[in-house]
Amino acid sequence: MNTQHKASIHESIQLEIRGAIAVIRLCRPTKRNALNDGLILAMRDIFENFPKKVRAAVIHGEGEHFCAGLDLSELQERDAGEGMKHSRMWHAALDCVQFGTVPVIAALHGAVVGGGLELASACHIRVADDSTFFALPEGTRGIFVGGGGSVRVPKLIGASRMADMMFTGRVYNAVDGERIGLAHYLVAAGTALDKALELATRIATNAPMTNYALMHALPRIAEQSMDHGLFTEALMSSITQSAPEAKERVRAFLEGKAAKVKKD
Ligand code: 1HE
């Protein structure tokens, strides 16, 4: 993969374009990549403005940890009104991650805690290495999640498990995190970024309309009644299959020119 473009958007977050893959790096290792307001706004800006050639994105963290969550030093002076606006700012930014233009893979290591887990939950695929641990220390800090965690984390592990994490301060290691659904892939320490890049490269070759349907239709269908969901599925299915690219791909298979499904 050639590095064709590298731009530093903010001192604590970096965007690098490697062919069709955008690589986003949290680079505030001395503060364990804690997310302050500037970083959240810069992240939103990055996810809203990928160059057109980008087909998938990977996000990872510099240093020993993926992300220590909210920068707690910015919490102290806020009143209720400011707290509400702050939470909504996180929601807007993480919506840009989840419902942006391309699938996002999180490469996780070390701490994935608080807002760091909220960020990871907004990504479409999570790859955890052996050093990863997951927690929601908001419970012990006397606060609540505010970056979409109460909506997204229960969709991964259920509200009951999330409540246990917050009631008790429970920390899940990488193996147990993968077992309960916090990560899709578990890899050796130090290899999460490589695995995430491999997956992103594969995802980037999908028909864009299929990736669009997975990002934008599937989570909405999952929220709908069965009747509405099946109707939305039929709409999305007809749109994807009518695209010239889908017809070409199906023809290639029928002519024996496309890869078969095979066991790993
Ligand atoms: C921070 C933060 C932070 C580290 N905000 N400064 N998140 C938390 O409650 C997690 C808090 N952090 C930790 O539990 C630990 O720092 C870690 C397990 C992530 C890493 O431990 P370690 O031993 O590698 O690092 P450290 O020595 O604890 O921290 C290094 C520095 O980073 C230190 O600053 P220094 O100036 O003394 O060097 C820490 O103060 C700083 N640091 N984490 C600010 N989070 C939208 S709502 C979301 C709500 C939440 O996310 S609440 C959960 C916040």
Side-chain angles (χ1 to χ4, degrees), residues 73-104:
S73 68
E74 288 190 349
L75 186 76
Q76 282 171 344
E77 304 304 322
R78 237 175 255 142
D79 66 17
E82 287 163 349
M84 179 78 188
K85 285 183 192 150
H86 180 263
S87 173
R88 298 298 286 158
M89 178 183 82
W90 271 63
H91 292 166
L94 295 193
D95 266 10
C96 290
V97 175
Q98 183 175 2
F99 298 115
T101 50
V102 298
V104 184

Side-chain angles (χ1 to χ4, degrees), residues 12 22 30 39 69 90 93 95 110 138 175 185-186 188 215 219-220 234 240:
S12 300
T30 54
L39 215 164
W90 271 63
D95 266 10
E138 287 89 338
V175 172
Y185 296 86
L186 180 60
M215 290 173 64
R220 290 182 169 89
T240 51

